[in-house]
mmCIF file of all heavy atoms in Angstrom:
data_model
loop_
_atom_site.group_PDB
_atom_site.id
_atom_site.type_symbol
_atom_site.label_atom_id
_atom_site.label_comp_id
_atom_site.label_asym_id
_atom_site.label_seq_id
_atom_site.Cartn_x
_atom_site.Cartn_y
_atom_site.Cartn_z
ATOM 1 N N ALA L 1 29.155 2.147 -5.453
ATOM 2 C CA ALA L 1 28.500 3.452 -5.316
ATOM 3 C C ALA L 1 27.039 3.342 -5.710
ATOM 4 O O ALA L 1 26.665 2.628 -6.629
ATOM 5 C CB ALA L 1 29.216 4.477 -6.199
ATOM 6 N N GLY L 2 26.201 4.018 -4.977
ATOM 7 C CA GLY L 2 24.798 4.093 -5.345
ATOM 8 C C GLY L 2 23.911 3.018 -4.754
ATOM 9 O O GLY L 2 22.696 3.070 -4.932
ATOM 10 N N GLU L 3 24.467 2.036 -4.081
ATOM 11 C CA GLU L 3 23.646 0.955 -3.533
ATOM 12 C C GLU L 3 22.703 1.451 -2.446
ATOM 13 O O GLU L 3 21.552 1.040 -2.376
ATOM 14 C CB GLU L 3 24.539 -0.168 -2.999
ATOM 15 C CG GLU L 3 25.230 -0.964 -4.080
ATOM 16 C CD GLU L 3 24.263 -1.659 -5.024
ATOM 17 O OE1 GLU L 3 23.289 -2.284 -4.550
ATOM 18 O OE2 GLU L 3 24.470 -1.570 -6.244
ATOM 19 N N LEU L 4 23.197 2.338 -1.591
ATOM 20 C CA LEU L 4 22.375 2.871 -0.512
ATOM 21 C C LEU L 4 21.198 3.667 -1.063
ATOM 22 O O LEU L 4 20.055 3.509 -0.613
ATOM 23 C CB LEU L 4 23.218 3.747 0.417
ATOM 24 C CG LEU L 4 22.471 4.394 1.585
ATOM 25 C CD1 LEU L 4 21.887 3.315 2.498
ATOM 26 C CD2 LEU L 4 23.420 5.300 2.366
ATOM 27 N N GLU L 5 21.456 4.487 -2.062
ATOM 28 C CA GLU L 5 20.411 5.302 -2.659
ATOM 29 C C GLU L 5 19.353 4.427 -3.341
ATOM 30 O O GLU L 5 18.153 4.661 -3.217
ATOM 31 C CB GLU L 5 21.003 6.295 -3.677
ATOM 32 C CG GLU L 5 21.833 7.400 -3.064
ATOM 33 C CD GLU L 5 23.264 6.989 -2.756
ATOM 34 O OE1 GLU L 5 23.656 5.815 -2.997
ATOM 35 O OE2 GLU L 5 24.005 7.859 -2.247
ATOM 36 N N LYS L 6 19.814 3.405 -4.038
ATOM 37 C CA LYS L 6 18.895 2.504 -4.719
ATOM 38 C C LYS L 6 18.071 1.704 -3.707
ATOM 39 O O LYS L 6 16.870 1.512 -3.891
ATOM 40 C CB LYS L 6 19.660 1.555 -5.642
ATOM 41 C CG LYS L 6 18.772 0.769 -6.560
ATOM 42 C CD LYS L 6 19.567 0.007 -7.601
ATOM 43 C CE LYS L 6 18.624 -0.704 -8.545
ATOM 44 N NZ LYS L 6 19.333 -1.421 -9.595
ATOM 45 N N LEU L 7 18.706 1.273 -2.628
ATOM 46 C CA LEU L 7 18.011 0.556 -1.573
ATOM 47 C C LEU L 7 16.937 1.443 -0.934
ATOM 48 O O LEU L 7 15.813 0.995 -0.688
ATOM 49 C CB LEU L 7 19.021 0.086 -0.524
ATOM 50 C CG LEU L 7 18.475 -0.736 0.628
ATOM 51 C CD1 LEU L 7 17.924 -2.065 0.127
ATOM 52 C CD2 LEU L 7 19.570 -0.952 1.660
ATOM 53 N N ALA L 8 17.278 2.705 -0.668
ATOM 54 C CA ALA L 8 16.316 3.649 -0.082
ATOM 55 C C ALA L 8 15.143 3.869 -1.030
ATOM 56 O O ALA L 8 13.976 3.910 -0.606
ATOM 57 C CB ALA L 8 16.997 4.970 0.238
ATOM 58 N N TYR L 9 15.422 4.003 -2.315
ATOM 59 C CA TYR L 9 14.359 4.182 -3.309
ATOM 60 C C TYR L 9 13.438 2.958 -3.352
ATOM 61 O O TYR L 9 12.218 3.092 -3.335
ATOM 62 C CB TYR L 9 14.981 4.429 -4.693
ATOM 63 C CG TYR L 9 14.007 4.224 -5.822
ATOM 64 C CD1 TYR L 9 12.996 5.140 -6.061
ATOM 65 C CD2 TYR L 9 14.082 3.089 -6.636
ATOM 66 C CE1 TYR L 9 12.082 4.944 -7.092
ATOM 67 C CE2 TYR L 9 13.178 2.891 -7.649
ATOM 68 C CZ TYR L 9 12.184 3.820 -7.884
ATOM 69 O OH TYR L 9 11.279 3.617 -8.884
ATOM 70 N N GLU L 10 14.008 1.769 -3.386
ATOM 71 C CA GLU L 10 13.194 0.552 -3.436
ATOM 72 C C GLU L 10 12.344 0.386 -2.184
ATOM 73 O O GLU L 10 11.191 -0.041 -2.254
ATOM 74 C CB GLU L 10 14.095 -0.667 -3.660
ATOM 75 C CG GLU L 10 14.698 -0.704 -5.051
ATOM 76 C CD GLU L 10 15.782 -1.753 -5.236
ATOM 77 O OE1 GLU L 10 16.174 -2.408 -4.231
ATOM 78 O OE2 GLU L 10 16.236 -1.918 -6.382
ATOM 79 N N ALA L 11 12.897 0.774 -1.031
ATOM 80 C CA ALA L 11 12.125 0.710 0.214
ATOM 81 C C ALA L 11 10.964 1.706 0.161
ATOM 82 O O ALA L 11 9.848 1.398 0.604
ATOM 83 C CB ALA L 11 13.024 1.006 1.403
ATOM 84 N N ALA L 12 11.205 2.889 -0.377
ATOM 85 C CA ALA L 12 10.149 3.893 -0.501
ATOM 86 C C ALA L 12 9.038 3.420 -1.440
ATOM 87 O O ALA L 12 7.849 3.616 -1.167
ATOM 88 C CB ALA L 12 10.719 5.223 -0.984
ATOM 89 N N VAL L 13 9.423 2.762 -2.519
ATOM 90 C CA VAL L 13 8.435 2.236 -3.467
ATOM 91 C C VAL L 13 7.595 1.148 -2.788
ATOM 92 O O VAL L 13 6.367 1.140 -2.906
ATOM 93 C CB VAL L 13 9.127 1.668 -4.731
ATOM 94 C CG1 VAL L 13 8.162 0.850 -5.573
ATOM 95 C CG2 VAL L 13 9.712 2.789 -5.564
ATOM 96 N N ARG L 14 8.245 0.241 -2.068
ATOM 97 C CA ARG L 14 7.510 -0.818 -1.361
ATOM 98 C C ARG L 14 6.553 -0.237 -0.324
ATOM 99 O O ARG L 14 5.418 -0.695 -0.193
ATOM 100 C CB ARG L 14 8.475 -1.807 -0.700
ATOM 101 C CG ARG L 14 9.046 -2.833 -1.656
ATOM 102 C CD ARG L 14 9.753 -3.968 -0.929
ATOM 103 N NE ARG L 14 10.783 -3.539 -0.002
ATOM 104 C CZ ARG L 14 12.033 -3.211 -0.333
ATOM 105 N NH1 ARG L 14 12.405 -3.281 -1.600
ATOM 106 N NH2 ARG L 14 12.899 -2.838 0.581
ATOM 107 N N SER L 15 6.988 0.758 0.407
ATOM 108 C CA SER L 15 6.126 1.387 1.420
ATOM 109 C C SER L 15 4.892 1.999 0.785
ATOM 110 O O SER L 15 3.776 1.856 1.289
ATOM 111 C CB SER L 15 6.896 2.462 2.182
ATOM 112 O OG SER L 15 7.915 1.914 2.947
ATOM 113 N N LEU L 16 5.092 2.697 -0.311
ATOM 114 C CA LEU L 16 3.971 3.325 -1.006
ATOM 115 C C LEU L 16 3.035 2.277 -1.602
ATOM 116 O O LEU L 16 1.808 2.430 -1.550
ATOM 117 C CB LEU L 16 4.507 4.268 -2.086
ATOM 118 C CG LEU L 16 3.672 5.465 -2.463
ATOM 119 C CD1 LEU L 16 3.278 6.287 -1.246
ATOM 120 C CD2 LEU L 16 4.407 6.340 -3.464
ATOM 121 N N ASP L 17 3.597 1.201 -2.138
ATOM 122 C CA ASP L 17 2.772 0.106 -2.672
ATOM 123 C C ASP L 17 1.942 -0.550 -1.564
ATOM 124 O O ASP L 17 0.763 -0.848 -1.756
ATOM 125 C CB ASP L 17 3.640 -0.960 -3.350
ATOM 126 C CG ASP L 17 4.157 -0.525 -4.710
ATOM 127 O OD1 ASP L 17 3.629 0.468 -5.269
ATOM 128 O OD2 ASP L 17 5.101 -1.170 -5.219
ATOM 129 N N LYS L 18 2.559 -0.760 -0.408
ATOM 130 C CA LYS L 18 1.824 -1.361 0.718
ATOM 131 C C LYS L 18 0.709 -0.432 1.184
ATOM 132 O O LYS L 18 -0.383 -0.885 1.516
ATOM 133 C CB LYS L 18 2.768 -1.671 1.871
ATOM 134 C CG LYS L 18 3.615 -2.882 1.644
ATOM 135 C CD LYS L 18 4.479 -3.193 2.853
ATOM 136 C CE LYS L 18 5.270 -4.457 2.617
ATOM 137 N NZ LYS L 18 6.029 -4.855 3.817
ATOM 138 N N GLN L 19 0.984 0.854 1.187
ATOM 139 C CA GLN L 19 -0.032 1.824 1.608
ATOM 140 C C GLN L 19 -1.211 1.815 0.631
ATOM 141 O O GLN L 19 -2.364 1.838 1.055
ATOM 142 C CB GLN L 19 0.596 3.221 1.676
ATOM 143 C CG GLN L 19 -0.264 4.253 2.334
ATOM 144 C CD GLN L 19 0.413 5.605 2.365
ATOM 145 O OE1 GLN L 19 0.838 6.103 1.333
ATOM 146 N NE2 GLN L 19 0.525 6.180 3.544
ATOM 147 N N GLU L 20 -0.915 1.735 -0.638
ATOM 148 C CA GLU L 20 -1.986 1.678 -1.645
ATOM 149 C C GLU L 20 -2.791 0.383 -1.494
ATOM 150 O O GLU L 20 -4.013 0.381 -1.593
ATOM 151 C CB GLU L 20 -1.401 1.773 -3.050
ATOM 152 C CG GLU L 20 -2.446 1.868 -4.134
ATOM 153 C CD GLU L 20 -1.852 2.071 -5.513
ATOM 154 O OE1 GLU L 20 -0.664 1.727 -5.726
ATOM 155 O OE2 GLU L 20 -2.581 2.575 -6.391
ATOM 156 N N GLY L 21 -2.101 -0.718 -1.226
ATOM 157 C CA GLY L 21 -2.792 -1.998 -1.009
ATOM 158 C C GLY L 21 -3.683 -1.942 0.217
ATOM 159 O O GLY L 21 -4.802 -2.465 0.208
ATOM 160 N N LEU L 22 -3.220 -1.292 1.278
ATOM 161 C CA LEU L 22 -4.019 -1.131 2.491
ATOM 162 C C LEU L 22 -5.293 -0.347 2.185
ATOM 163 O O LEU L 22 -6.383 -0.716 2.633
ATOM 164 C CB LEU L 22 -3.206 -0.419 3.564
ATOM 165 C CG LEU L 22 -3.951 -0.015 4.828
ATOM 166 C CD1 LEU L 22 -4.340 -1.264 5.633
ATOM 167 C CD2 LEU L 22 -3.108 0.915 5.674
ATOM 168 N N LEU L 23 -5.153 0.700 1.407
ATOM 169 C CA LEU L 23 -6.325 1.506 1.034
ATOM 170 C C LEU L 23 -7.314 0.690 0.213
ATOM 171 O O LEU L 23 -8.525 0.731 0.471
ATOM 172 C CB LEU L 23 -5.884 2.743 0.253
ATOM 173 C CG LEU L 23 -7.002 3.639 -0.255
ATOM 174 C CD1 LEU L 23 -7.771 4.269 0.908
ATOM 175 C CD2 LEU L 23 -6.445 4.719 -1.170
ATOM 176 N N GLU L 24 -6.826 -0.062 -0.746
ATOM 177 C CA GLU L 24 -7.709 -0.895 -1.571
ATOM 178 C C GLU L 24 -8.430 -1.940 -0.718
ATOM 179 O O GLU L 24 -9.629 -2.179 -0.898
ATOM 180 C CB GLU L 24 -6.903 -1.569 -2.675
ATOM 181 C CG GLU L 24 -6.430 -0.620 -3.752
ATOM 182 C CD GLU L 24 -5.482 -1.271 -4.748
ATOM 183 O OE1 GLU L 24 -5.268 -2.509 -4.680
ATOM 184 O OE2 GLU L 24 -4.933 -0.549 -5.587
ATOM 185 N N GLU L 25 -7.706 -2.544 0.209
ATOM 186 C CA GLU L 25 -8.302 -3.553 1.081
ATOM 187 C C GLU L 25 -9.362 -2.928 1.988
ATOM 188 O O GLU L 25 -10.448 -3.481 2.183
ATOM 189 C CB GLU L 25 -7.223 -4.226 1.934
ATOM 190 C CG GLU L 25 -7.766 -5.308 2.832
ATOM 191 C CD GLU L 25 -6.678 -5.939 3.687
ATOM 192 O OE1 GLU L 25 -5.491 -5.841 3.330
ATOM 193 O OE2 GLU L 25 -7.034 -6.532 4.711
ATOM 194 N N MET L 26 -9.063 -1.748 2.522
ATOM 195 C CA MET L 26 -10.024 -1.077 3.395
ATOM 196 C C MET L 26 -11.293 -0.727 2.610
ATOM 197 O O MET L 26 -12.398 -0.899 3.109
ATOM 198 C CB MET L 26 -9.414 0.204 3.983
ATOM 199 C CG MET L 26 -10.297 0.873 5.000
ATOM 200 S SD MET L 26 -9.734 2.486 5.622
ATOM 201 C CE MET L 26 -7.979 2.438 5.521
ATOM 202 N N ARG L 27 -11.134 -0.286 1.390
ATOM 203 C CA ARG L 27 -12.308 0.060 0.592
ATOM 204 C C ARG L 27 -13.101 -1.180 0.207
ATOM 205 O O ARG L 27 -14.335 -1.139 0.171
ATOM 206 C CB ARG L 27 -11.891 0.858 -0.645
ATOM 207 C CG ARG L 27 -11.530 2.286 -0.270
ATOM 208 C CD ARG L 27 -11.260 3.146 -1.448
ATOM 209 N NE ARG L 27 -11.259 4.551 -1.056
ATOM 210 C CZ ARG L 27 -10.677 5.496 -1.750
ATOM 211 N NH1 ARG L 27 -10.059 5.215 -2.889
ATOM 212 N NH2 ARG L 27 -10.717 6.742 -1.331
ATOM 213 N N SER L 28 -12.436 -2.288 -0.037
ATOM 214 C CA SER L 28 -13.150 -3.535 -0.326
ATOM 215 C C SER L 28 -13.944 -3.986 0.891
ATOM 216 O O SER L 28 -15.119 -4.363 0.775
ATOM 217 C CB SER L 28 -12.172 -4.646 -0.711
ATOM 218 O OG SER L 28 -11.563 -4.363 -1.933
ATOM 219 N N ARG L 29 -13.322 -3.934 2.045
ATOM 220 C CA ARG L 29 -14.008 -4.326 3.266
ATOM 221 C C ARG L 29 -15.157 -3.369 3.592
ATOM 222 O O ARG L 29 -16.160 -3.769 4.182
ATOM 223 C CB ARG L 29 -13.033 -4.389 4.429
ATOM 224 C CG ARG L 29 -12.076 -5.536 4.321
ATOM 225 C CD ARG L 29 -11.141 -5.579 5.491
ATOM 226 N NE ARG L 29 -10.216 -6.693 5.356
ATOM 227 C CZ ARG L 29 -9.551 -7.208 6.356
ATOM 228 N NH1 ARG L 29 -9.685 -6.712 7.566
ATOM 229 N NH2 ARG L 29 -8.730 -8.207 6.155
ATOM 230 N N THR L 30 -14.985 -2.128 3.219
ATOM 231 C CA THR L 30 -16.048 -1.150 3.461
ATOM 232 C C THR L 30 -17.279 -1.482 2.631
ATOM 233 O O THR L 30 -18.407 -1.301 3.083
ATOM 234 C CB THR L 30 -15.550 0.273 3.161
ATOM 235 O OG1 THR L 30 -14.462 0.553 4.030
ATOM 236 C CG2 THR L 30 -16.637 1.299 3.369
ATOM 237 N N GLY L 31 -17.077 -1.975 1.415
ATOM 238 C CA GLY L 31 -18.206 -2.409 0.611
ATOM 239 C C GLY L 31 -18.984 -3.520 1.290
ATOM 240 O O GLY L 31 -20.218 -3.522 1.294
ATOM 241 N N VAL L 32 -18.271 -4.446 1.908
ATOM 242 C CA VAL L 32 -18.911 -5.533 2.655
ATOM 243 C C VAL L 32 -19.634 -4.971 3.869
ATOM 244 O O VAL L 32 -20.770 -5.378 4.181
ATOM 245 C CB VAL L 32 -17.870 -6.600 3.064
ATOM 246 C CG1 VAL L 32 -18.482 -7.637 3.979
ATOM 247 C CG2 VAL L 32 -17.263 -7.257 1.829
ATOM 248 N N LEU L 33 -19.012 -4.037 4.551
ATOM 249 C CA LEU L 33 -19.627 -3.403 5.725
ATOM 250 C C LEU L 33 -20.925 -2.698 5.337
ATOM 251 O O LEU L 33 -21.945 -2.835 6.017
ATOM 252 C CB LEU L 33 -18.642 -2.395 6.333
ATOM 253 C CG LEU L 33 -19.108 -1.571 7.519
ATOM 254 C CD1 LEU L 33 -19.260 -2.466 8.745
ATOM 255 C CD2 LEU L 33 -18.110 -0.465 7.803
ATOM 256 N N LEU L 34 -20.893 -1.968 4.244
ATOM 257 C CA LEU L 34 -22.081 -1.261 3.770
ATOM 258 C C LEU L 34 -23.193 -2.235 3.400
ATOM 259 O O LEU L 34 -24.360 -2.044 3.751
ATOM 260 C CB LEU L 34 -21.714 -0.376 2.574
ATOM 261 C CG LEU L 34 -22.774 0.532 2.007
ATOM 262 C CD1 LEU L 34 -23.308 1.487 3.067
ATOM 263 C CD2 LEU L 34 -22.202 1.328 0.833
ATOM 264 N N ALA L 35 -22.827 -3.318 2.724
ATOM 265 C CA ALA L 35 -23.819 -4.323 2.342
ATOM 266 C C ALA L 35 -24.409 -4.998 3.585
ATOM 267 O O ALA L 35 -25.632 -5.195 3.663
ATOM 268 C CB ALA L 35 -23.174 -5.372 1.434
ATOM 269 N N ALA L 36 -23.569 -5.327 4.560
ATOM 270 C CA ALA L 36 -24.055 -5.969 5.770
ATOM 271 C C ALA L 36 -24.995 -5.059 6.547
ATOM 272 O O ALA L 36 -26.037 -5.493 7.048
ATOM 273 C CB ALA L 36 -22.882 -6.377 6.664
ATOM 274 N N SER L 37 -24.658 -3.799 6.622
ATOM 275 C CA SER L 37 -25.505 -2.846 7.334
ATOM 276 C C SER L 37 -26.856 -2.696 6.638
ATOM 277 O O SER L 37 -27.904 -2.667 7.288
ATOM 278 C CB SER L 37 -24.793 -1.486 7.416
ATOM 279 O OG SER L 37 -25.519 -0.601 8.210
ATOM 280 N N SER L 38 -26.817 -2.639 5.332
ATOM 281 C CA SER L 38 -28.067 -2.517 4.559
ATOM 282 C C SER L 38 -28.921 -3.773 4.670
ATOM 283 O O SER L 38 -30.148 -3.689 4.807
ATOM 284 C CB SER L 38 -27.747 -2.230 3.093
ATOM 285 O OG SER L 38 -27.062 -1.015 2.974
#
């Protein structure tokens, strides 16, 4: 009992972590973009 719920929770955590990582990467690359433009 509870394996499906725990699996769904862990998948949701991974998705949110990946989304946060994507945002951090985009902001890092944006710093490079801003520097290159300047």
Side-chain angles (χ1 to χ4, degrees):
E3 289 299 314
L4 179 62
E5 291 82 359
K6 191 171 183 178
L7 182 65
Y9 163 73
E10 290 170 354
V13 168
R14 280 192 306 278
S15 294
L16 209 52
D17 285 345
K18 284 183 177 185
Q19 191 180 54
E20 186 176 23
L22 173 69
L23 177 65
E24 289 172 6
E25 182 181 339
M26 186 186 331
R27 285 187 166 159
S28 293
R29 290 181 181 200
T30 299
V32 173
L33 177 70
L34 185 58
S37 186
S38 298

